[in-house]
Amino acid sequence: MATTAKKTTADKAKSTASKSTASRNTAKTASKSADGKVKAKSTAADGLRELFVDSLKDIYWAEKALTKALPKMAKNSTSENLITAINDHLSVTEEQVKRLEQVFSLIGEKAAAKKCDAMEGLIKEGESIMEETEAGPVRDAGIIAASQKIEHYEIATYGTLAAFATTLGEDDAVLLLEKTLAEEKEADTLLTEAAYNTINFDANEED
Ligand code: FE
Ligand code: ZN
Ligand code: FE
Ligand code: FE
């Protein structure tokens, strides 16, 4: 990274710190600069806490978006294995939304969703695949591919959230986040099995 870029960031931080507005959010210890960037105010732990809360809001949005996207994916699938895997994961996802609300409550924050650009993009990719393929094994293979990208994004996110919660000493939150992390890994495994067992093979045979 160039030193000039570093300098610019530091300058920006300095100027926004001097402006120092009353924080819109309710967090006691951390604040956001005028450009909305998370910064450490007094300690790294304060900054990490705000990053943790923001990341929770992001995945809360993402999980809710998935409760709307998964039924469309199931409807577009033909393999019984795949339809079952998606529908099972839909009920799991609905529980995960509630579990996130528990996490917010445990850490004394109001549950709020903040748009996740990554999940929006991943869902859009899945929609494009469904538009660009005919119903059958090829579309099924595409739906599996899109779903696995989604699961991997969630695995990365919950792994990070559990690590943040551990550092912050939010031990009850860690347990809930790790439970969801295990479910996302399980979903990914089931999708891999669905792909290996039949779907990719059928897709290859089709033409
Ligand atoms: Fe999830
Ligand atoms: Zn996100
Ligand atoms: Fe991403
Ligand atoms: Fe998931």
Side-chain angles (χ1 to χ4, degrees), residues 78-89:
T78 55
S79 151
E80 286 303 323
N81 273 351
L82 179 55
I83 294 169
T84 306
I86 295 173
N87 283 332
D88 286 355
H89 198 56

Side-chain angles (χ1 to χ4, degrees), residues 63 66 89 93 96 151 154 158 180 184:
E63 294 285 15
L66 280 172
H89 198 56
T93 300
Q96 291 174 347
E151 295 315 316
E154 292 182 300
Y158 282 105
T180 297
E184 307 296 14

Side-chain angles (χ1 to χ4, degrees), residues 4 24-25 28 47 67 71 80 100 111 121 135 150 160 176 180 205:
T4 48
R24 277 167 305 167
N25 70 52
K28 297 164 292 213
T67 62
E80 286 303 323
L100 282 170
I150 289 169
T160 299
L176 294 178
T180 297
E205 292 292 288

Side-chain angles (χ1 to χ4, degrees), residues 145-158:
S147 304
Q148 288 197 282
K149 288 180 188 180
I150 289 169
E151 295 315 316
H152 280 244
Y153 178 75
E154 292 182 300
I155 289 166
T157 302
Y158 282 105

Side-chain angles (χ1 to χ4, degrees), residues 40-118:
K41 195 179 183 185
S42 48
T43 69
D46 293 339
L48 184 66
R49 184 185 159 85
E50 187 169 1
L51 183 59
F52 175 58
V53 174
D54 263 29
S55 306
L56 278 174
K57 290 177 179 174
D58 179 283
I59 196 69
Y60 187 52
W61 186 98
E63 294 285 15
K64 284 181 154 187
L66 280 172
T67 62
K68 291 173 199 150
L70 289 172
K72 287 183 215 158
M73 292 169 108
K75 210 181 280 177
N76 273 276
S77 304
T78 55
S79 151
E80 286 303 323
N81 273 351
L82 179 55
I83 294 169
T84 306
I86 295 173
N87 283 332
D88 286 355
H89 198 56
L90 173 61
S91 9
V92 168
T93 300
E94 283 161 354
E95 288 307 308
Q96 291 174 347
V97 170
K98 291 182 199 159
R99 197 174 294 139
L100 282 170
E101 287 162 1
Q102 281 178 261
V103 173
F104 279 112
S105 148
L106 275 173
I107 64 165
E109 296 281 340
K110 217 178 98 193
K114 184 181 167 190
K115 187 176 164 195
C116 172
D117 294 324

